[in-house]
Amino acid sequence: MNKDNGIDVIVVGGGASGLFAAGSAAAAGARVVLIEKGERLARKLLITGKGRCNLTNAECLEEFITNYGDNGKFLYRAFHEFFNNDLIEFFKSYGVETKVERGGRVFPVSDRAETIVSALERYARDNGVEIWLSTRVSAVAVDEKGRIRGVKVFAAQNDAAGVKLIKSRAVILATGGLSYPVTGSTGDGYAMARKVGHSIEPLLPALVGLETSDSFVKRLQGLTLKNVRVTVFSGAKEAASGFGEMLFTHFGVSGPVVLRLSGEVAARIYKNEKMEMSVDLKPALGNEQLHARLMREFDAHGLKSFYNVVKLLLPASMVPVFVERSGLPAERQCCRITRKERENVVRLLKDFRFHISRTRPIEEAIVTRGGVNLRQINPRTMESLIVKGLYLCGEVIDIDGVTGGYNLQAAFSGARLAGVSAAQKGGSS
Ligand SMILES: Cc1cc2nc3c(=O)[nH]c(=O)nc-3n(C[C@H](O)[C@H](O)[C@H](O)COP(=O)(O)OP(=O)(O)OC[C@H]3O[C@@H](n4cnc5c(N)ncnc54)[C@H](O)[C@@H]3O)c2cc1C
């Protein structure tokens, strides 16, 4: 226990990871203070899963970990200690029943994120966590030997009133990322970590819509395509690919499959690579099969116009744009379409391509890609390898997953490990 004020562990940030880390540290016997700059706890958590909170996924560990790209392996220890079933059991012990939906997504039976937030708050308070709202941490304080001293907070609501040091043996930084800043995630933790020697991997939007400068794409606004294969290219090289549903918007494209690919696109645009997106509109058919299908349609409707036969193949709102892109006159009778022209149509159906100019801004992203460099964090404890007694968890570290409950599970698992480790540190002399 800290001699000056009795605080063992200070948790900075009262979101998903902060609340759970605080509860876990307190349950492990530490005297914990959680500091949240907002007037309310967990504002982002309240809007997760469209207000229903997709808290985790029912997948097995080996599959689960593939949803975070190369950085996923950092999470093995945290998941080994506390995984999806443990999380489900934890919420059950706080009276929150869960259900599994399509794709293994786990939601509270109530369909309300509030039940998750209130369970987390009860967990923290029941274990004696002291919660300070409307208090902004400005820095983590480190002594000359590189050990944590505590945090600096603004003394009053009025930042100009100056800062004061709150001492503790351990600090857990759980300040979140940069996306949806109205919820309080304004990236403060990155600056604080950088100031004490951490390096920050480039902060980019992930799980975000993608913009195009091609005007024909914008004419498709409102169109949803289900079961399409979407591939992104950097020059001639395939960068990533996915299958599922996409949506055309006023700025370009969005929807589940696009969001899944967006982090990779953001990273490549950051490196100045020129990106294109290709949509396979008929992924179930190979080139030969599609060619045969077109021949059948053109034979059966030989006197009909090309435009009218394309209507049999594609959603109505896509037809004018598709016909225009094919370069064939809309009124051309099908019986007069040559083999070469047919091959072009097949190519366009398999590779409907456009440029991606940039991502939507990070404010609109569901998560932040990048963050505190994982090589500077001990994956067995979540302790900083630079500052002894500093722990990091949640979106502030360089982990981001796809949609499906992966980001929250990473936040909760990291928080459990950080909380328990910090309690051991904070309680020892
Ligand atoms: C619209 C939307 C929907 C989402 N849906 C899902 C979903 O269904 N499933 C899923 O797995 N993930 C989802 N996510 C992602 C998930 O919400 C985040 O990954 C998760 O909330 C990260 O938790 P965190 O505790 O690290 O950060 P946050 O939840 O952002 O919490 C950080 C907290 O720190 C506080 N803070 C920041 N700086 C300071 C400071 N200087 N002093 C004091 N306090 C500070 C903030 O006010 C905030 O309360 C969604 C995200 C968004 C934006």
Side-chain angles (χ1 to χ4, degrees), residues 15 30 35 151 160 179 181-182 217 315 356 385 401:
I35 305 180
V151 298
S179 72
V182 285
V217 178
I356 298 295
L385 296 172

Side-chain angles (χ1 to χ4, degrees), residues 13 16-17 36-37 43 48-49 54 137 176 185 188 366 395 405 408:
S17 62
E36 163 58 47
K37 71 175 172 184
R43 284 167 292 167
T48 54
N54 176 197
V137 172
S185 324
D188 298 9
I366 290 178
E395 208 172 310
L408 282 174

Side-chain angles (χ1 to χ4, degrees), residues 17 55-56 64 68 75 78-79 82-83 87 382 393-395 397 399-401 405-416:
S17 62
L55 57 135
T56 186
F64 207 104
Y68 305 90
L75 292 168
F79 284 168
F82 187 86
F83 194 43
L87 188 67
M382 306 302 279
C393 58
E395 208 172 310
I397 70 172
I399 292 276
D400 64 281
Y406 301 101
N407 287 296
L408 282 174
Q409 181 68 52
F412 289 129
S413 295
R416 165 54 60 101

Side-chain angles (χ1 to χ4, degrees), residues 208-225 245-256 258-259 277 279 317 321 352 354-361 364:
V208 71
L210 300 174
E211 293 187 14
T212 180
S213 47
D214 292 333
S215 53
F216 68 89
V217 178
K218 293 179 189 163
R219 283 166 53 205
L220 297 171
Q221 179 178 345
L223 170 69
T224 297
L225 295 176
E245 184 174 316
M246 70 181 290
L247 170 73
F248 289 86
T249 68
H250 64 285
F251 56 76
V253 284
S254 189
V258 171
L259 295 190
M277 180 167 276
V279 184
S317 60
V321 173
F352 186 80
F354 45 91
H355 295 95
I356 298 295
S357 48
R358 57 183 174 182
T359 66
R360 293 296 284 168
E364 290 179 24

Side-chain angles (χ1 to χ4, degrees), residues 97-115:
E97 294 294 333
T98 53
K99 57 181 173 177
V100 181
E101 295 191 358
R102 184 179 48 87
R105 288 158 197 255
V106 179
F107 292 88
V109 168
S110 65
D111 280 329
R112 291 173 59 238
E114 284 94 335
T115 49

Side-chain angles (χ1 to χ4, degrees), residues 8-9 11 18-33 82 90 93-94 119-130 172 415-424 427:
D8 296 318
V9 179
V11 179
L19 270 170
F20 199 55
S24 302
R31 160 103 204 273
V32 182
V33 170
F82 187 86
F90 163 79
S93 73
Y94 273 83
L120 288 170
E121 188 174 345
R122 266 184 289 136
Y123 176 54
R125 291 197 193 275
D126 286 356
N127 282 292
V129 174
E130 202 178 305
I172 301 177
R416 165 54 60 101
L417 196 50
V420 171
S421 315
Q424 281 159 9

Side-chain angles (χ1 to χ4, degrees), residues 178 187 190 194 200-205 270 362 368-372 396:
L178 268 176
Y190 302 122
R194 190 182 283 121
I200 309 296
E201 291 300 303
L203 302 169
L204 305 170
Y270 179 77
I362 197 152
T368 313
R369 172 156 291 194
V372 177
V396 74

